Amino acid sequence: MNRVVFALLVLVAIVQCAPRCEPADQARGRCQVEAAEPAPCLNNYLSYCSGMSYSKIMFPNLIGQISREEAEISAEYVLISVLDNLLNGECNTDLKLLGCSIIAPRCENNMVLKPCRYACEALKRDCKHSFELIQMAWPYFMDCDRFFVSEEEGCYDPTGKYRDSIMPDEPETPYTVLQFKYHSYLEMTKLLKQTASVCASISTMYTIGRSFEGKDLHVIEFSSNPGEHELLEPEFKYVANMHGNEVLGRELLIYLAQYLCSEYLNGNKRIQALINNTRIHLLPSMNPDGYEIASEEGPGYNGWATGRSNSQSIDLNRNFPDLTTVFYQERRKRGGQVDHIPIPRSYWNGKVAPETRGVIKWMKKIPFVLSGSLHGGDLVASYPFDLSRLPEEDKFNSPTPDDQMFKMLAKTYSDAHPIMSDTTDERCGGNFANKGGIINGAEWYSFAGGMQDFSYLHTNSFEITLELGCDKYPPEDELYPAWQENKEALLTYIEMVHRGIKGIVKDETGRGIKGAQIKIRGIRHNILTVTNGEYWRLLPPGTHFVSAYARGHTRVLKRIYLPAKMEGAGRVDFVLRRLEPDIYFETFEDGMDELDLIDHLERTEQGHEGEDDEYSSSRSEKPWWWPFFATLGTNSPDWLLSNN
């Protein structure tokens, strides 16, 4: 055989017998392949990543996308493009830079330079809460361990803000010195988040809904067991900035949150006792959209109505269900329902602001005992009713059945406020000086749909309105004096949640009875027990006859005496014996209850109405932000769902 032919045959055999390189082996680097030429650096034409500090990028990128075209139609890039709509501006710029460092990686000398792990960890610590508030998982491609490297490996900070300043693991020590300035929505959110982080053992932050423009309605809570209701611990809330241009209350609650945090940690016995025995909820801004409008003009230039309403031009303090009119009708009837009046279904057919709906839902989920609504425009503590009992009289004293208790609550705040309680009439609020700085709402001026009337007639909570100054948007140099004037009053009013009586209503087996009525002789307004049979009943000092009653059980009456000075609510428990024969009573609701209806309306407005049940979507319903990714079809980012 020709030697040349033989050599060729041997070569062919060797080639044919060479082991085949499987894709899995190739991915693990087990195949001996020719080294490919390094990919060249490319110009960055990804529009949503145009803010990077570099202009050259490389494909494949760090998540395996091989071209600009593939990246632009990916869920990761869509997320970068819609961050402004999702997070309301908070952390948006830094998150875009972080995400783009993975999608459009930095290229130098035809090599990828990876982002630093410390920058990712710092930003995640700062901004993860923004994702949690909208029930979105932290994006997988921002996994700090997976796609980011240490400084020893050579890296860069894509945000440019954490360079040489790695954040400490422990939160910063709180400062007792408050910054008396106005806070934007983003500044307020960040400050509340930092406060909750510093005082994580006694504080948490949550949201009760979103404004019409999509801003979260943030609440910061203080208690010895944050996030949980404890047996017989009363729930208290302050709500501010209901009218967007009435801004002092908003700042006072921001200061109050910082004060509660720092004073608790500094060993202030009064604050520690207050937080250890009370669950306190602060909603600094019920109307963040209106505040944005008002803040464009700023202090000293703001008109009387600029920013007052929300973005739908709805006055939120006229937007609650008018139950006071129903009360005036029912009180004339024998056995008429004058407390815990249900919301008429017709109310939901009207224009209900999302901010109002969020607060109603909040009131129904948490058994608040006492509340305060912070406003501006005058200096007075106003108590219900706000709607006159005589339609033809716009200024007519219209007391509730608990008028004595409401006057006591209003006087508590006024007496602790050095100017509100001043008896001279040549001052802001001087028109109320002869009344001790308090007034019945309808006697001042009558209106329907207010929050304090609704709170009293629909829930167990007593609420008053606190007008904190004649200037709705005072200059910044007046913020410190205002804090000094209101600090003691704010604290003293919270402490009033421990007046009156509290207890548990049980049956003979020791099981708590939910929905039992607590009645006070001479006061036609009942309180209902909540889960575990708990109740709290605010009462003025004196002798009272208290009874507890539940359907199918005996009624128990007790005589109690409350001294003028008590350190806490008196404990009055009841044991109700089941009537013979053992008749079982069950309450049947006409359709879904009000919380179900509120949830249904929210889902319908957000375009999530489904076909799985009678009222709307199934339990597997996607979150409100899912339509942003609808165009991706089967490539939708399930990795963003927080329950995955």
Side-chain angles (χ1 to χ4, degrees):
M1 181 182 292
N2 188 299
R3 291 184 178 180
V4 175
V5 174
F6 177 78
L8 289 174
L9 290 174
V10 172
L11 181 61
V12 169
I14 293 173
V15 171
Q16 288 178 338
C17 294
R20 181 167 175 258
C21 185
E22 297 295 334
D25 292 328
Q26 183 176 356
R28 292 182 175 90
R30 295 174 179 172
C31 303
Q32 294 182 355
V33 295
E34 292 186 16
E37 293 185 10
C41 293
L42 305 172
N43 289 325
N44 180 14
Y45 292 118
L46 291 170
S47 58
Y48 288 106
C49 294
S50 59
M52 304 302 290
S53 60
Y54 50 86
S55 60
K56 297 294 184 180
I57 64 174
M58 178 179 283
F59 286 103
N61 60 20
L62 296 180
I63 52 176
Q65 295 163 350
I66 63 173
S67 66
R68 168 192 165 192
E69 290 74 21
E70 182 180 352
E72 287 180 328
I73 62 172
S74 68
E76 295 85 355
Y77 190 67
V78 171
L79 174 63
I80 296 296
S81 71
V82 299
L83 280 174
D84 289 328
N85 303 92
L86 299 178
L87 305 182
N88 303 312
E90 186 177 9
C91 298
N92 288 3
T93 301
D94 292 334
L95 286 169
K96 284 182 180 179
L97 295 174
L98 194 73
C100 285
S101 71
I102 304 300
I103 297 172
R106 182 172 179 172
C107 183
E108 292 183 0
N109 301 319
N110 292 337
M111 294 183 63
V112 168
L113 182 61
K114 293 186 177 182
C116 291
R117 184 176 295 121
Y118 75 77
C120 175
E121 292 172 343
L123 188 61
K124 185 175 182 180
R125 193 177 292 118
D126 270 354
C127 301
K128 186 179 180 181
H129 75 284
S130 300
F131 288 88
E132 292 172 347
L133 289 173
I134 62 172
Q135 281 118 29
M136 178 182 282
W138 183 260
Y140 83 92
F141 64 98
M142 298 185 197
D143 186 320
C144 302
D145 293 324
R146 184 175 175 188
F147 298 107
F148 298 79
V149 298
S150 65
E151 291 179 276
E152 291 74 19
E153 297 174 76
C155 65
Y156 74 104
D157 177 1
T159 68
K161 64 186 293 186
Y162 296 113
R163 194 187 311 275
D164 301 326
S165 59
I166 304 175
M167 292 184 66
D169 291 332
E170 296 297 323
E172 296 178 0
T173 302
Y175 295 101
T176 55
V177 179
L178 307 180
Q179 289 187 315
F180 295 98
K181 51 165 281 187
Y182 285 113
H183 296 82
S184 68
Y185 176 79
L186 295 181
E187 291 171 334
M188 176 190 73
T189 301
K190 183 176 181 180
L191 190 54
L192 294 178
K193 182 186 79 74
Q194 290 174 341
T195 302
S197 176
V198 167
C199 284
S201 62
I202 59 163
S203 181
T204 188
M205 185 174 165
Y206 64 94
T207 178
I208 62 169
R210 296 164 69 88
S211 71
F212 183 73
E213 292 185 359
K215 297 180 182 67
D216 286 305
L217 304 179
H218 294 302
V219 175
I220 186 167
E221 171 200 326
F222 292 90
S223 77
S224 57
N225 189 14
E228 299 292 336
H229 173 75
E230 296 187 77
L231 188 67
L232 288 177
E233 183 175 81
E235 309 264 0
F236 176 93
K237 75 175 187 300
Y238 272 132
V239 177
N241 203 208
M242 186 182 204
H243 292 141
N245 63 336
E246 297 172 12
V247 301
L248 179 57
R250 169 190 172 107
E251 297 303 324
L252 290 180
L253 292 193
I254 294 172
Y255 307 153
L256 180 61
Q258 295 174 273
Y259 180 81
L260 291 174
C261 171
S262 61
E263 290 300 298
Y264 188 97
L265 297 182
N266 288 336
N268 184 317
K269 299 299 183 182
R270 180 190 185 187
I271 300 303
Q272 289 180 340
L274 187 60
I275 291 176
N276 290 339
N277 295 286
T278 321
R279 193 175 177 207
I280 303 167
H281 307 256
L282 309 178
L283 172 59
S285 184
M286 182 180 168
N287 186 5
D289 297 345
Y291 176 80
E292 296 273 315
I293 297 172
S295 64
E296 289 178 2
E297 295 186 0
Y301 299 96
N302 185 268
W304 194 253
T306 303
R308 175 184 174 90
S309 302
N310 78 340
S311 290
Q312 298 168 283
S313 298
I314 295 176
D315 186 328
L316 300 182
N317 206 31
R318 307 293 187 273
N319 194 228
F320 284 82
D322 175 17
L323 303 184
T324 321
T325 296
V326 179
F327 169 85
Y328 290 145
Q329 296 167 350
E330 290 291 311
R331 72 188 180 124
R332 299 188 182 95
K333 303 175 184 178
R334 182 178 179 83
Q337 186 170 0
V338 293
D339 54 68
H340 298 86
I341 301 172
I343 300 173
R345 289 293 170 89
S346 58
Y347 167 76
W348 302 109
N349 297 329
K351 197 172 183 180
V352 182
E355 298 90 344
T356 309
R357 190 164 54 236
V359 170
I360 291 175
K361 191 173 179 179
W362 187 35
M363 288 180 175
K364 294 178 73 64
K365 285 189 172 182
I366 296 179
F368 292 113
V369 179
L370 181 61
S371 306
S373 179
L374 278 53
H375 289 251
D378 219 311
L379 192 63
V380 67
S382 168
Y383 55 91
F385 288 124
D386 277 327
L387 181 65
S388 172
R389 60 189 174 96
L390 298 180
E392 67 277 7
E393 294 288 342
D394 185 53
K395 298 179 182 295
F396 192 82
N397 183 35
S398 304
T400 68
D402 282 284
D403 191 54
Q404 185 181 354
M405 187 66 216
F406 273 115
K407 287 179 178 177
M408 182 177 173
L409 291 170
K411 280 289 290 178
T412 296
Y413 197 95
S414 175
D415 288 348
H417 192 291
I419 301 178
M420 195 180 291
S421 58
D422 191 342
T423 57
T424 61
D425 55 9
E426 297 297 324
R427 61 169 178 84
C428 172
N431 294 333
F432 311 102
N434 62 345
K435 295 180 178 292
I438 69 173
I439 192 169
N440 173 264
E443 185 178 358
W444 187 11
Y445 63 93
S446 174
F447 67 91
M451 185 167 68
Q452 69 176 11
D453 283 15
F454 171 79
S455 179
Y456 178 68
L457 293 175
H458 188 68
T459 75
N460 284 336
S461 181
F462 286 38
E463 181 173 310
I464 67 172
T465 299
L466 302 166
E467 301 281 346
L468 302 178
C470 292
D471 194 343
K472 293 191 173 191
Y473 204 138
E476 277 195 341
D477 59 7
E478 294 182 14
L479 294 179
Y480 173 71
W483 167 248
Q484 293 299 320
E485 293 161 3
N486 286 277
K487 180 179 69 174
E488 178 59 30
L490 289 167
L491 295 173
T492 304
Y493 184 73
I494 297 175
E495 291 169 335
M496 289 297 290
V497 77
H498 295 284
R499 300 303 294 261
I501 60 175
K502 65 181 179 181
I504 301 176
V505 179
K506 299 179 180 179
D507 61 18
E508 293 170 297
T509 67
R511 182 177 59 184
I513 303 174
K514 181 181 179 180
Q517 297 179 8
I518 304 299
K519 298 187 177 184
I520 309 297
R521 183 181 294 178
I523 301 177
R524 196 180 173 189
H525 184 86
N526 299 335
I527 295 298
L528 299 183
T529 58
V530 297
T531 305
N532 300 320
E534 300 166 90
Y535 79 90
W536 302 261
R537 211 322 175 171
L538 297 177
L539 287 170
T543 300
H544 301 278
F545 290 89
V546 186
S547 66
Y549 168 74
R551 292 190 65 181
H553 295 77
T554 57
R555 185 188 307 273
V556 175
L557 176 68
K558 294 187 177 184
R559 179 181 180 272
I560 65 167
Y561 173 73
L562 298 177
K565 293 184 178 181
M566 291 183 64
E567 292 185 358
R571 179 76 181 264
V572 183
D573 293 335
F574 293 89
V575 177
L576 306 186
R577 182 173 53 83
R578 199 158 188 69
L579 292 173
E580 298 293 343
D582 192 8
I583 303 174
Y584 176 71
F585 292 89
E586 182 176 0
T587 302
F588 293 94
E589 296 290 343
D590 180 17
M592 53 184 160
D593 66 23
E594 289 168 347
L595 275 177
D596 287 336
L597 180 60
I598 296 172
D599 289 338
H600 164 64
L601 291 169
E602 290 175 344
R603 291 192 292 261
T604 302
E605 286 188 359
Q606 293 163 0
H608 298 310
E609 191 169 17
E611 301 175 354
D612 295 324
D613 59 45
E614 182 179 357
Y615 300 113
S616 73
S617 58
S618 67
R619 298 189 182 189
S620 61
E621 175 192 347
K622 295 294 191 294
W624 64 267
W625 43 262
W626 192 254
F628 284 109
F629 304 95
T631 58
L632 297 173
T634 57
N635 294 323
S636 296
D638 289 340
W639 39 269
L640 281 176
L641 298 174
S642 57
N643 58 354
N644 279 348

